[in-house]
Amino acid sequence: MQEKLSKLSTPAYVIDEKRLCENLRILHEVEAESGAKVLLAQKAYSVYQTYPLVAEYISGATASGLYEAKLAYEELPGVRTGDKENHVFEPAFKDDEMAEVCRIADHVVFNSLSQLEHHRSIWEKSGVSVGLRVNPELSTQDGHEIYDPCASGSRLGIRACDMPEKLPSGVEGLHFHTLCEQLYEPLEATFKAFEQKFGKYLHDIKWLNMGGGHHITKEGYDRKALIELVKKIREKYDIEVYLEPGEAIALDAGYLVTTVMDIVETEKYPVLILDTSAACHMPDVLEMPYRPPLRDSGEAGEKAFTYRLSSRTCLAGDVIGDYSFDHEISIGDRLVFEDMAIYSMVKNNTFNGMALPDIALLHENGDTEVIKHFGYEDFKMRL
Ligand SMILES: Cc1ncc(COP(=O)(O)O)c(C=O)c1O
Protein backbone atom coordinates (compact mmCIF):
# COMPACT_ATOMS: atom_id res chain seq x y z
CA MET A 1 0.00 0.00 0.00
CA GLN A 2 2.84 2.36 0.93
CA GLU A 3 4.15 2.08 -2.62
CA LYS A 4 0.77 2.94 -4.15
CA LEU A 5 0.38 5.92 -1.83
CA SER A 6 3.86 7.15 -2.74
CA LYS A 7 2.78 7.52 -6.36
CA LEU A 8 -0.08 9.94 -5.64
CA SER A 9 0.50 13.64 -6.05
CA THR A 10 0.10 15.34 -2.69
CA PRO A 11 -1.67 16.45 -0.67
CA ALA A 12 -4.30 13.74 -1.14
CA TYR A 13 -7.03 12.23 0.96
CA VAL A 14 -7.24 8.52 0.32
CA ILE A 15 -10.30 6.44 1.19
CA ASP A 16 -9.42 2.85 2.07
CA GLU A 17 -12.36 0.83 0.72
CA LYS A 18 -11.34 -2.33 2.54
CA ARG A 19 -11.40 -0.56 5.91
CA LEU A 20 -14.66 1.18 5.00
CA CYS A 21 -16.25 -2.19 4.22
CA GLU A 22 -14.98 -3.66 7.49
CA ASN A 23 -16.79 -0.87 9.37
CA LEU A 24 -19.92 -1.24 7.26
CA ARG A 25 -19.97 -4.99 7.86
CA ILE A 26 -19.93 -4.40 11.64
CA LEU A 27 -22.74 -1.87 11.36
CA HIS A 28 -24.72 -4.26 9.19
CA GLU A 29 -24.36 -6.93 11.88
CA VAL A 30 -25.63 -4.48 14.49
CA GLU A 31 -28.65 -3.83 12.27
CA ALA A 32 -29.27 -7.51 11.68
CA GLU A 33 -28.94 -8.54 15.31
CA SER A 34 -30.70 -5.63 17.01
CA GLY A 35 -33.28 -4.61 14.45
CA ALA A 36 -32.00 -1.02 14.58
CA LYS A 37 -31.66 0.93 11.36
CA VAL A 38 -28.25 2.53 10.87
CA LEU A 39 -27.91 5.74 8.85
CA LEU A 40 -24.77 7.40 7.53
CA ALA A 41 -24.41 10.91 9.03
CA GLN A 42 -23.08 12.68 5.97
CA LYS A 43 -21.71 15.60 7.97
CA ALA A 44 -18.79 13.32 8.91
CA TYR A 45 -18.28 11.56 5.61
CA SER A 46 -19.72 12.48 2.22
CA VAL A 47 -17.52 10.71 -0.33
CA TYR A 48 -20.56 9.99 -2.44
CA GLN A 49 -18.55 7.94 -4.91
CA THR A 50 -18.53 5.25 -2.20
CA TYR A 51 -22.27 5.52 -1.42
CA PRO A 52 -23.00 2.41 -3.53
CA LEU A 53 -20.83 0.47 -1.04
CA VAL A 54 -22.58 2.13 1.91
CA ALA A 55 -25.96 1.18 0.48
CA GLU A 56 -24.97 -2.50 0.40
CA TYR A 57 -24.72 -2.60 4.18
CA ILE A 58 -26.90 -0.04 5.99
CA SER A 59 -30.39 1.45 5.82
CA GLY A 60 -29.83 4.98 4.54
CA ALA A 61 -28.40 8.38 5.31
CA THR A 62 -29.09 11.42 7.41
CA ALA A 63 -28.47 15.03 6.51
CA SER A 64 -27.80 18.35 8.22
CA GLY A 65 -29.94 20.23 5.73
CA LEU A 66 -31.12 20.39 2.16
CA TYR A 67 -27.76 19.97 0.42
CA GLU A 68 -26.70 16.82 2.21
CA ALA A 69 -30.22 15.43 1.83
CA LYS A 70 -29.99 16.13 -1.88
CA LEU A 71 -26.61 14.40 -2.08
CA ALA A 72 -28.07 11.23 -0.57
CA TYR A 73 -31.13 11.51 -2.81
CA GLU A 74 -28.95 11.72 -5.88
CA GLU A 75 -26.11 9.39 -4.94
CA LEU A 76 -27.20 6.79 -2.39
CA PRO A 77 -28.68 3.92 -4.36
CA GLY A 78 -32.17 3.06 -3.15
CA VAL A 79 -33.18 6.45 -1.78
CA ARG A 80 -35.18 7.45 -4.84
CA THR A 81 -37.01 4.14 -4.91
CA GLY A 82 -37.73 4.18 -1.19
CA ASP A 83 -35.53 1.12 -0.49
CA LYS A 84 -33.17 3.30 1.56
CA GLU A 85 -34.11 6.07 3.97
CA ASN A 86 -33.23 9.75 3.81
CA HIS A 87 -33.49 11.66 7.10
CA VAL A 88 -32.80 15.31 7.79
CA PHE A 89 -32.41 17.42 10.90
CA GLU A 90 -31.66 21.12 10.95
CA PRO A 91 -31.97 23.61 13.82
CA ALA A 92 -34.02 25.84 11.48
CA PHE A 93 -35.24 25.09 7.96
CA LYS A 94 -35.42 27.89 5.41
CA ASP A 95 -38.88 28.66 4.07
CA ASP A 96 -37.79 28.43 0.46
CA GLU A 97 -36.15 25.03 1.02
CA MET A 98 -38.80 23.26 3.07
CA ALA A 99 -40.87 21.97 0.17
CA GLU A 100 -37.84 20.40 -1.49
CA VAL A 101 -36.64 18.92 1.81
CA CYS A 102 -40.03 17.26 2.22
CA ARG A 103 -39.98 16.00 -1.37
CA ILE A 104 -36.61 14.23 -1.16
CA ALA A 105 -36.51 13.21 2.51
CA ASP A 106 -38.72 10.66 4.23
CA HIS A 107 -38.00 11.68 7.85
CA VAL A 108 -37.71 15.31 8.95
CA VAL A 109 -36.72 16.28 12.49
CA PHE A 110 -37.48 19.73 13.90
CA ASN A 111 -35.49 21.35 16.68
CA SER A 112 -38.35 23.32 18.23
CA LEU A 113 -42.11 23.44 18.50
CA SER A 114 -42.07 26.78 16.70
CA GLN A 115 -40.24 25.30 13.66
CA LEU A 116 -42.67 22.38 13.65
CA GLU A 117 -45.66 24.71 13.52
CA HIS A 118 -43.99 27.23 11.19
CA HIS A 119 -43.59 24.57 8.50
CA ARG A 120 -46.70 22.53 9.31
CA SER A 121 -48.62 23.46 6.18
CA ILE A 122 -45.79 22.06 4.04
CA TRP A 123 -44.84 18.88 5.89
CA GLU A 124 -48.40 17.91 6.73
CA LYS A 125 -49.39 17.47 3.13
CA SER A 126 -46.08 15.95 2.00
CA GLY A 127 -46.25 12.53 3.63
CA VAL A 128 -42.88 12.76 5.45
CA SER A 129 -42.61 11.28 8.90
CA VAL A 130 -41.94 14.13 11.32
CA GLY A 131 -40.01 14.06 14.58
CA LEU A 132 -38.84 16.41 17.31
CA ARG A 133 -35.31 16.64 18.67
CA VAL A 134 -35.25 16.65 22.44
CA ASN A 135 -32.52 17.37 24.95
CA PRO A 136 -32.05 14.73 27.66
CA GLU A 137 -29.89 17.27 29.55
CA LEU A 138 -27.24 14.74 30.49
CA SER A 139 -23.68 15.73 29.62
CA THR A 140 -21.49 12.67 29.26
CA GLN A 141 -18.48 14.28 27.61
CA ASP A 142 -15.38 15.55 29.34
CA GLY A 143 -13.92 18.84 28.28
CA HIS A 144 -15.41 19.23 24.79
CA GLU A 145 -18.20 21.72 25.43
CA ILE A 146 -18.15 22.72 21.77
CA TYR A 147 -19.35 19.18 20.90
CA ASP A 148 -21.80 18.82 23.79
CA PRO A 149 -25.44 19.46 22.85
CA CYS A 150 -26.33 19.06 26.54
CA ALA A 151 -24.02 21.86 27.71
CA SER A 152 -25.74 24.62 29.63
CA GLY A 153 -27.53 27.04 27.31
CA SER A 154 -27.62 24.58 24.40
CA ARG A 155 -29.93 25.44 21.50
CA LEU A 156 -30.06 21.81 20.35
CA GLY A 157 -33.18 19.88 21.30
CA ILE A 158 -36.28 20.72 23.30
CA ARG A 159 -35.92 20.38 27.07
CA ALA A 160 -38.50 18.28 28.90
CA CYS A 161 -39.74 21.40 30.73
CA ASP A 162 -40.63 23.00 27.37
CA MET A 163 -42.54 20.01 26.00
CA PRO A 164 -46.34 19.98 25.94
CA GLU A 165 -48.26 17.38 27.95
CA LYS A 166 -49.12 15.50 24.75
CA LEU A 167 -47.14 15.41 21.52
CA PRO A 168 -48.43 17.84 18.88
CA SER A 169 -50.53 16.17 16.21
CA GLY A 170 -48.57 14.61 13.38
CA VAL A 171 -45.38 14.02 15.37
CA GLU A 172 -44.30 10.42 14.83
CA GLY A 173 -40.77 10.34 16.21
CA LEU A 174 -38.31 11.64 18.78
CA HIS A 175 -34.62 12.27 18.25
CA PHE A 176 -31.71 12.89 20.59
CA HIS A 177 -28.07 13.40 19.79
CA THR A 178 -25.74 13.96 22.72
CA LEU A 179 -22.63 11.81 22.27
CA CYS A 180 -19.27 12.38 20.61
CA GLU A 181 -16.74 9.60 20.01
CA GLN A 182 -18.16 7.57 22.88
CA LEU A 183 -18.40 3.92 23.85
CA TYR A 184 -21.60 2.16 24.91
CA GLU A 185 -21.91 3.17 28.56
CA PRO A 186 -22.70 6.88 27.97
CA LEU A 187 -25.47 5.83 25.59
CA GLU A 188 -27.02 3.65 28.26
CA ALA A 189 -26.87 6.52 30.76
CA THR A 190 -28.33 8.90 28.17
CA PHE A 191 -31.17 6.57 27.28
CA LYS A 192 -32.02 6.26 30.99
CA ALA A 193 -32.16 10.05 31.34
CA PHE A 194 -34.17 10.31 28.13
CA GLU A 195 -36.62 7.64 29.26
CA GLN A 196 -37.11 9.32 32.61
CA LYS A 197 -37.84 12.69 31.05
CA PHE A 198 -39.61 11.74 27.81
CA GLY A 199 -40.81 8.17 28.46
CA LYS A 200 -44.44 9.26 28.59
CA TYR A 201 -44.33 9.98 24.85
CA LEU A 202 -42.74 6.69 23.84
CA HIS A 203 -46.02 4.80 23.48
CA ASP A 204 -47.32 7.48 21.10
CA ILE A 205 -44.47 7.47 18.57
CA LYS A 206 -43.36 5.22 15.75
CA TRP A 207 -39.61 5.79 15.94
CA LEU A 208 -36.76 6.93 18.11
CA ASN A 209 -33.50 8.22 16.67
CA MET A 210 -30.60 8.02 19.12
CA GLY A 211 -28.32 10.26 17.04
CA GLY A 212 -24.62 9.80 16.40
CA GLY A 213 -21.41 9.89 18.39
CA HIS A 214 -21.44 6.10 18.92
CA HIS A 215 -17.97 4.68 18.23
CA ILE A 216 -19.53 1.34 17.33
CA THR A 217 -16.69 0.25 15.04
CA LYS A 218 -13.94 1.07 17.50
CA GLU A 219 -12.19 -1.77 19.28
CA GLY A 220 -13.60 -2.17 22.75
CA TYR A 221 -17.11 -0.92 21.94
CA ASP A 222 -19.60 -3.19 23.70
CA ARG A 223 -21.71 -4.04 20.67
CA LYS A 224 -23.53 -6.85 22.48
CA ALA A 225 -24.84 -4.36 25.04
CA LEU A 226 -25.90 -1.96 22.27
CA ILE A 227 -27.78 -4.77 20.52
CA GLU A 228 -29.54 -5.72 23.77
CA LEU A 229 -30.49 -2.09 24.49
CA VAL A 230 -31.98 -1.60 21.04
CA LYS A 231 -33.89 -4.87 21.27
CA LYS A 232 -35.23 -3.88 24.68
CA ILE A 233 -36.42 -0.48 23.43
CA ARG A 234 -38.04 -1.96 20.33
CA GLU A 235 -39.87 -4.60 22.34
CA LYS A 236 -40.94 -2.38 25.23
CA TYR A 237 -42.30 0.47 23.13
CA ASP A 238 -42.94 -1.23 19.78
CA ILE A 239 -41.00 1.42 17.88
CA GLU A 240 -38.34 1.58 15.19
CA VAL A 241 -34.89 2.55 16.51
CA TYR A 242 -32.40 4.55 14.43
CA LEU A 243 -28.70 5.15 15.00
CA GLU A 244 -26.99 7.78 12.85
CA PRO A 245 -23.23 7.52 13.32
CA GLY A 246 -20.88 9.47 11.11
CA GLU A 247 -17.44 8.69 12.49
CA ALA A 248 -18.15 4.98 13.02
CA ILE A 249 -18.86 4.55 9.30
CA ALA A 250 -15.43 5.63 8.12
CA LEU A 251 -13.35 5.39 11.29
CA ASP A 252 -9.71 4.62 10.42
CA ALA A 253 -10.71 4.27 6.78
CA GLY A 254 -8.77 7.15 5.25
CA TYR A 255 -5.41 8.83 5.03
CA LEU A 256 -4.02 12.23 4.21
CA VAL A 257 -0.78 11.84 2.29
CA THR A 258 1.56 14.82 2.39
CA THR A 259 5.09 15.75 1.31
CA VAL A 260 7.78 17.50 3.36
CA MET A 261 8.56 20.74 1.49
CA ASP A 262 11.13 22.29 3.80
CA ILE A 263 12.72 21.93 7.22
CA VAL A 264 13.17 25.04 9.38
CA GLU A 265 15.49 25.04 12.38
CA THR A 266 14.10 26.65 15.54
CA GLU A 267 15.22 26.92 19.15
CA LYS A 268 12.84 24.01 19.85
CA TYR A 269 12.24 21.17 17.40
CA PRO A 270 13.06 21.46 13.70
CA VAL A 271 9.80 22.27 11.88
CA LEU A 272 8.65 20.27 8.87
CA ILE A 273 6.82 22.47 6.39
CA LEU A 274 4.24 20.17 4.79
CA ASP A 275 2.10 20.65 1.72
CA THR A 276 -0.94 20.08 3.91
CA SER A 277 -2.34 22.24 6.71
CA ALA A 278 -4.25 21.70 9.92
CA ALA A 279 -6.19 24.93 9.41
CA CYS A 280 -7.18 24.10 5.82
CA HIS A 281 -7.25 20.33 5.47
CA MET A 282 -7.87 18.94 8.95
CA PRO A 283 -9.60 21.76 10.85
CA ASP A 284 -10.69 19.45 13.69
CA VAL A 285 -7.04 19.20 14.73
CA LEU A 286 -7.24 22.85 15.81
CA GLU A 287 -10.92 23.00 16.64
CA MET A 288 -11.31 19.94 18.81
CA PRO A 289 -8.25 19.98 19.34
CA TYR A 290 -6.62 16.61 18.73
CA ARG A 291 -3.41 15.03 17.51
CA PRO A 292 -3.93 12.99 14.34
CA PRO A 293 -2.23 9.60 14.19
CA LEU A 294 0.77 9.58 11.84
CA ARG A 295 2.09 6.34 10.38
CA ASP A 296 5.49 5.10 11.71
CA SER A 297 5.84 7.88 14.26
CA GLY A 298 5.90 8.30 18.04
CA GLU A 299 5.30 10.98 20.64
CA ALA A 300 7.85 13.79 20.84
CA GLY A 301 11.08 12.34 22.27
CA GLU A 302 9.93 8.75 22.00
CA LYS A 303 11.99 7.96 18.88
CA ALA A 304 15.38 9.30 17.87
CA PHE A 305 14.30 12.30 15.75
CA THR A 306 11.59 14.71 16.85
CA TYR A 307 9.98 17.36 14.62
CA ARG A 308 7.14 19.83 14.79
CA LEU A 309 4.79 19.22 11.85
CA SER A 310 3.40 22.39 10.36
CA SER A 311 2.20 23.89 7.13
CA ARG A 312 2.89 26.52 4.51
CA THR A 313 0.02 28.83 5.56
CA CYS A 314 0.66 32.16 7.29
CA LEU A 315 -1.03 31.10 10.53
CA ALA A 316 1.64 30.74 13.21
CA GLY A 317 -0.54 28.26 15.05
CA ASP A 318 -1.11 26.06 12.01
CA VAL A 319 0.72 23.25 13.78
CA ILE A 320 -0.38 19.64 13.53
CA GLY A 321 1.74 18.41 16.43
CA ASP A 322 5.15 17.17 17.55
CA TYR A 323 6.11 13.71 16.31
CA SER A 324 9.24 11.56 16.46
CA PHE A 325 10.71 9.13 13.93
CA ASP A 326 13.33 6.36 13.88
CA HIS A 327 15.19 8.07 11.06
CA GLU A 328 15.99 11.60 10.06
CA ILE A 329 13.38 13.25 7.84
CA SER A 330 14.41 14.80 4.51
CA ILE A 331 12.80 17.26 2.17
CA GLY A 332 10.67 15.31 -0.29
CA ASP A 333 9.71 12.55 2.19
CA ARG A 334 6.11 11.40 2.28
CA LEU A 335 4.12 11.28 5.52
CA VAL A 336 0.77 9.58 5.99
CA PHE A 337 -1.78 10.89 8.50
CA GLU A 338 -4.31 8.26 9.49
CA ASP A 339 -8.01 8.37 10.34
CA MET A 340 -8.55 11.17 7.84
CA ALA A 341 -11.76 10.06 6.12
CA ILE A 342 -13.99 11.73 8.70
CA TYR A 343 -14.62 15.43 9.34
CA SER A 344 -11.77 16.28 6.95
CA MET A 345 -12.85 16.97 3.37
CA VAL A 346 -16.34 17.91 4.56
CA LYS A 347 -14.78 20.79 6.55
CA ASN A 348 -11.76 21.85 4.54
CA ASN A 349 -11.19 25.31 3.10
CA THR A 350 -8.85 27.30 0.85
CA PHE A 351 -7.54 29.87 3.37
CA ASN A 352 -4.38 31.52 1.97
CA GLY A 353 -5.36 30.17 -1.44
CA MET A 354 -4.22 26.71 -0.39
CA ALA A 355 -5.22 24.06 -2.88
CA LEU A 356 -7.62 21.44 -1.64
CA PRO A 357 -6.13 17.93 -1.46
CA ASP A 358 -7.06 15.48 -4.20
CA ILE A 359 -9.48 12.74 -3.23
CA ALA A 360 -8.46 9.21 -4.12
CA LEU A 361 -9.82 5.73 -3.52
CA LEU A 362 -7.69 2.82 -2.44
CA HIS A 363 -9.66 -0.05 -3.94
CA GLU A 364 -9.85 -3.46 -2.29
CA ASN A 365 -7.52 -4.88 -4.96
CA GLY A 366 -4.82 -2.37 -3.91
CA ASP A 367 -5.17 -0.01 -6.87
CA THR A 368 -5.53 3.72 -6.28
CA GLU A 369 -7.84 5.98 -8.28
CA VAL A 370 -7.88 9.76 -8.07
CA ILE A 371 -11.54 10.76 -8.20
CA LYS A 372 -11.20 14.51 -7.57
CA HIS A 373 -8.54 17.06 -8.33
CA PHE A 374 -8.95 20.71 -7.31
CA GLY A 375 -7.27 23.76 -8.77
CA TYR A 376 -7.28 27.55 -8.83
CA GLU A 377 -10.82 27.72 -10.20
CA ASP A 378 -12.16 25.90 -7.14
CA PHE A 379 -10.55 28.56 -4.93
CA LYS A 380 -11.81 31.45 -7.06
CA MET A 381 -15.29 30.05 -7.51
CA ARG A 382 -16.00 30.33 -3.76
CA LEU A 383 -15.11 34.03 -3.54
C1 LIG B 1 -27.66 15.28 14.83
C2 LIG B 1 -26.39 14.53 14.59
N1 LIG B 1 -26.45 13.25 14.18
C3 LIG B 1 -25.33 12.53 13.94
C4 LIG B 1 -24.08 13.08 14.10
C5 LIG B 1 -22.85 12.25 13.80
O1 LIG B 1 -22.00 12.14 14.87
P1 LIG B 1 -20.67 11.29 14.79
O2 LIG B 1 -20.00 11.61 13.50
O3 LIG B 1 -19.88 11.76 15.97
O4 LIG B 1 -21.07 9.86 14.88
C6 LIG B 1 -23.97 14.42 14.54
C7 LIG B 1 -22.64 15.04 14.74
O5 LIG B 1 -22.48 16.16 15.10
C8 LIG B 1 -25.15 15.16 14.77
O6 LIG B 1 -25.10 16.45 15.15
Side-chain angles (χ1 to χ4, degrees), residues 91-257:
F93 290 94
K94 295 194 87 170
D95 289 352
D96 59 357
E97 292 183 352
M98 199 63 221
E100 192 177 3
V101 166
C102 290
R103 185 177 64 78
I104 62 178
D106 39 72
H107 290 67
V108 173
V109 177
F110 292 103
N111 189 52
S112 68
L113 297 165
S114 86
Q115 274 279 300
L116 175 84
E117 297 308 333
H118 182 75
H119 295 293
R120 179 178 284 278
S121 64
I122 296 177
W123 62 258
E124 224 168 26
K125 57 175 189 266
S126 73
V128 291
S129 186
V130 157
L132 289 174
R133 177 165 174 173
V134 298
N135 181 352
E137 294 180 84
L138 182 76
S139 286
T140 55
Q141 305 178 37
D142 289 335
H144 287 138
E145 198 165 294
I146 186 177
Y147 292 111
D148 183 3
C150 296
S152 166
S154 170
R155 71 188 184 289
L156 298 167
I158 308 165
R159 296 173 303 170
C161 64
D162 295 322
M163 285 289 279
E165 196 44 41
K166 280 199 136 286
L167 284 176
S169 74
V171 172
E172 296 187 341
L174 290 176
H175 176 290
F176 64 79
H177 166 79
T178 68
L179 307 180
C180 179
E181 299 188 340
Q182 279 163 294
L183 297 179
Y184 170 73
E185 292 71 16
L187 171 65
E188 185 178 296
T190 300
F191 180 75
K192 256 192 203 142
F194 165 79
E195 197 177 28
Q196 250 171 25
K197 292 187 155 96
F198 301 94
K200 65 178 177 191
Y201 306 115
L202 285 173
H203 292 287
D204 300 327
I205 58 173
K206 293 183 178 168
W207 51 267
L208 169 66
N209 186 325
M210 301 203 285
H214 322 280
H215 255 188
I216 300 168
T217 50
K218 198 180 172 98
E219 221 181 277
Y221 189 99
D222 190 348
R223 294 196 278 269
K224 274 210 176 90
L226 171 67
I227 289 163
E228 287 313 308
L229 176 70
V230 170
K231 276 163 69 175
K232 200 182 84 187
I233 298 170
R234 291 180 61 236
E235 276 158 28
K236 185 166 173 192
Y237 297 109
D238 192 22
I239 51 177
E240 198 80 77
V241 173
Y242 291 99
L243 300 166
E244 48 177 35
E247 294 215 359
I249 305 272
L251 198 64
D252 289 321
Y255 317 103
L256 175 54
V257 188

Side-chain angles (χ1 to χ4, degrees), residues 304-325:
F305 300 92
T306 296
Y307 299 89
R308 173 154 291 182
L309 272 55
S310 189
S311 90
R312 61 191 179 111
T313 68
C314 67
L315 178 70
D318 193 350
V319 170
I320 300 153
D322 298 337
Y323 295 80
S324 66
F325 302 85

Side-chain angles (χ1 to χ4, degrees), residues 42 63 65-75 86 100 104:
Q42 295 173 92
L66 174 63
Y67 290 0
E68 284 182 0
K70 210 167 161 173
L71 191 65
Y73 184 76
E74 290 176 358
E75 302 293 342
N86 199 13
E100 192 177 3
I104 62 178

